[in-house]
Amino acid sequence: MEEQSERAVIRFSHCQKEIFCFCLPEQCPCCGEELRGSRLQEAPVSIPSPLTNGHKTSCCLLVTPAHDNEDRDFDGTSDLHTGISNTKGVVYNYTPGGVCRDQTRWERCISVPLVRPDMFHLLAQWDQYLDRFSDGPMWDPAWHRFDEDHHNCFSFCLGFINGVLAVEGRSPLSRDSFAHTFILPRMRRVSKYTTLHQHIQRHQYYVVDQQEDQQEETPVKPGLFQ
């Protein structure tokens, strides 16, 4: 997966096809015509990876493969781990040993922005809220034991988010509503991108009809406090 993050996917149009690859070929892989000058219907477009470096984010919910996932991959079957970044990119996450404040290991994440850059009142207090919440007895192993199903990393993240929502005078979110609204659409985007990337690695190109590619994806909703 590390190689995938280093090789960008590009898309170009030719002979009524959308063609995805890592670099623009000299000839169209579908019709064999040379791809020079104005023979392309439009300029090649880079397809950005849906994964981000969690330590370069601020005030985000982050999802990454669990540390015991040897491939560190989003394959739909492996366990995932969640955390919250502070304003400096330190990731607070709940583990069986309590709350960790990680400055590494979250370099390839799904990121859900939680705070707009112009929400100065919330940004100014974010780190204080996060520290105070993390120091609570709910996350101290001496008081509460980590449970994979009922008291886990996602419980920590959602508990913090609902605490901030309460301060902002807004209603809390359930586990299911938050996951379905903010996390699962991003997971689907990662899955689609990973499948595309792997296909190109094996076959050099991925080709679809233009009409097929123009089908609209369900938009990914912005962050919670947007």
Side-chain angles (χ1 to χ4, degrees):
M1 288 294 293
E2 288 301 325
E3 287 186 7
Q4 292 183 13
S5 65
E6 296 170 2
R7 303 194 68 186
V9 175
I10 64 171
R11 181 190 68 199
F12 67 92
S13 302
H14 196 262
C15 58
Q16 301 301 309
K17 303 287 187 182
E18 295 286 349
I19 303 167
F20 299 80
C21 52
F22 292 137
C23 58
L24 187 67
E26 294 183 0
Q27 297 177 327
C28 174
C30 298
C31 69
E33 184 177 4
E34 289 189 7
L35 301 177
R36 291 183 178 178
S38 60
R39 293 188 182 276
L40 286 177
Q41 295 166 15
E42 58 187 30
V45 176
S46 178
I47 308 297
S49 169
L51 298 176
T52 59
N53 185 337
H55 300 294
K56 294 182 178 180
T57 71
S58 61
C59 309
C60 291
L61 179 133
L62 303 170
V63 184
T64 191
H67 297 324
D68 58 359
N69 177 354
E70 292 182 0
D71 295 330
R72 304 288 290 152
D73 202 358
F74 294 89
D75 61 5
T77 62
S78 301
D79 289 338
L80 300 174
H81 191 48
T82 58
I84 302 280
S85 61
N86 71 2
T87 59
K88 301 175 180 65
V90 177
V91 183
Y92 289 58
N93 58 104
Y94 179 55
T95 72
V99 177
C100 296
R101 294 163 169 82
D102 293 342
Q103 299 187 46
T104 61
R105 304 180 75 176
W106 295 77
E107 286 77 16
R108 298 184 68 254
C109 301
I110 293 171
S111 175
V112 181
L114 298 174
V115 184
R116 282 200 322 266
D118 63 350
M119 299 186 73
F120 302 113
H121 72 288
L122 191 50
L123 290 170
Q125 301 178 83
W126 189 264
D127 291 357
Q128 181 181 351
Y129 287 159
L130 196 48
D131 276 320
R132 186 184 306 158
F133 181 78
S134 300
D135 290 337
M138 283 290 291
W139 318 112
D140 185 340
W143 292 86
H144 288 273
R145 181 177 297 178
F146 182 96
D147 181 273
E148 290 187 0
D149 297 321
H150 304 293
H151 193 65
N152 53 29
C153 59
F154 191 62
S155 307
F156 170 82
C157 293
L158 188 60
F160 173 73
I161 288 169
N162 279 334
V164 177
L165 283 172
V167 171
E168 293 290 299
R170 296 171 59 179
S171 301
L173 288 169
S174 70
R175 176 183 294 258
D176 287 344
S177 64
F178 184 84
H180 281 85
T181 303
F182 295 101
I183 296 179
L184 291 182
R186 289 171 169 84
M187 290 287 294
R188 286 191 286 268
R189 179 170 287 184
V190 168
S191 177
K192 183 177 180 180
Y193 184 86
T194 300
T195 300
L196 172 66
H197 212 293
Q198 291 172 345
H199 183 95
I200 297 171
Q201 283 183 315
R202 290 193 299 266
H203 305 289
Q204 286 192 286
Y205 306 102
Y206 178 75
V207 181
V208 294
D209 293 334
Q210 279 187 317
Q211 198 170 25
E212 177 183 346
D213 185 64
Q214 288 171 359
Q215 293 177 355
E216 292 292 329
E217 285 187 350
T218 301
V220 173
K221 292 194 176 183
L224 184 59
F225 300 102
Q226 302 290 321

